[in-house]
Amino acid sequence: MLYGMNTKHSKYCLLNPEKYMENLPAPVCKSSWEERVFEAMDGNAFITKWGYEPFDIYYMSPKYQKMSIYKPDIYCECKSQESDKPARWLIEIKPHKFSVMPESPPTIVESATPAQVKRHNKKMARYYAQCEEVMVNQAKWSAARNWCSDRGVNWLVLTEKNAPGSFI
């Protein structure tokens, strides 16, 4: 499974609670992939501090046309080989298909049967919903990039296309 699609949410049991950011509730796994990322953050000796959904970032929602709140998945600090200061990262965990615009379904032919039209309409509804989700994600991530730039934090959208082999 590339991105665990189980919808059962469960609290992650911290192995190194001293590394987890104060004042944040225990992380909640929304997928098996998030759980593997939590395990990597918690168990990696180079990660000195981490937290789940640690900050509110405000963005203009293209879906609702109003200011909304985005909570990025992970903030972490890790030991740096180049500096005494830790490298700081803000990470979003997302399936690749929700990070790029989908291809539009082929145009339906004039001679289509009612059943073909119905199937095409369902495909178009899924296509529009996915486009909307990508647009919302892009708005969130633009705000996150600005937030990171203002604070000297690195930004990463972690997908199955760019994740190290141990995560997928």
Side-chain angles (χ1 to χ4, degrees), residues 31-105:
S31 70
S32 58
W33 194 20
E34 276 192 351
E35 184 175 26
R36 289 193 297 271
V37 173
F38 296 167
E39 288 169 352
M41 294 288 153
D42 201 12
N44 188 320
F46 286 96
I47 305 292
T48 57
K49 179 180 183 180
W50 74 285
Y52 176 68
E53 294 186 345
F55 312 112
D56 290 347
I57 296 177
Y58 292 88
Y59 73 102
M60 177 59 76
S61 171
K63 182 175 182 176
Y64 300 111
Q65 295 299 307
K66 66 177 188 174
M67 291 303 286
S68 299
I69 295 174
Y70 165 50
K71 291 181 173 286
D73 289 327
I74 303 281
Y75 171 81
C76 72
E77 295 181 2
C78 49
K79 296 175 186 173
S80 173
Q81 294 177 343
E82 295 91 34
S83 169
D84 290 339
K85 293 174 77 176
R88 300 182 307 154
W89 289 87
L90 197 58
I91 302 169
E92 178 65 23
I93 303 165
K94 193 65 74 182
H96 180 73
K97 74 178 188 173
F98 295 123
S99 66
V100 294
M101 283 295 183
E103 285 189 35
S104 176

Side-chain angles (χ1 to χ4, degrees), residues 14 21 24 63 75 88 90 94 124 136 144-145 147:
L14 294 165
M21 293 173 66
L24 288 180
K63 182 175 182 176
Y75 171 81
R88 300 182 307 154
L90 197 58
K94 193 65 74 182
M124 290 304 295
V136 169
R145 277 191 298 277
W147 186 95

